Amino acid sequence: MDWAHPNQQGKQGSSAMPIVTVQQGPRDAELKRELVRRVTDAFVDAYRIPPETVQVWIHEVPADSWGAAGTLTADK
């Protein structure tokens, strides 16, 4: 499989490494594994890059540390 992105105009192995940041409430490890796999697959398909170049960072925020619509999430 050719990993060069079509817009790289012949450049192989661009040094740009996509980093995807997901901010969410706590989830179990199995759900996070699936998320990382799917996000990685999406970048591999869209950018035609090797999966080793994709980083997915998951930042979990406890329910008592964020809110929406004027209400702390822990209070819902």
Side-chain angles (χ1 to χ4, degrees):
M1 177 180 279
D2 180 12
W3 294 109
H5 186 280
N7 294 334
Q8 290 295 318
Q9 300 175 358
K11 296 179 185 174
Q12 294 289 326
S14 171
S15 62
M17 182 180 308
I19 299 172
V20 181
T21 304
V22 177
Q23 294 183 329
Q24 65 179 29
R27 301 286 196 285
D28 68 39
E30 191 56 40
L31 290 174
K32 291 186 280 189
R33 281 186 195 96
E34 181 70 10
L35 175 65
V36 169
R37 186 188 64 75
R38 289 182 182 209
V39 168
T40 300
D41 288 349
F43 272 80
V44 167
D45 291 344
Y47 289 168
R48 298 182 186 161
I49 57 175
E52 297 79 21
T53 64
V54 180
Q55 293 186 27
V56 180
W57 298 355
I58 300 173
H59 294 268
E60 292 185 322
V61 181
D64 64 352
S65 294
W66 66 286
T71 305
L72 192 63
T73 304
D75 294 339
K76 290 184 179 181

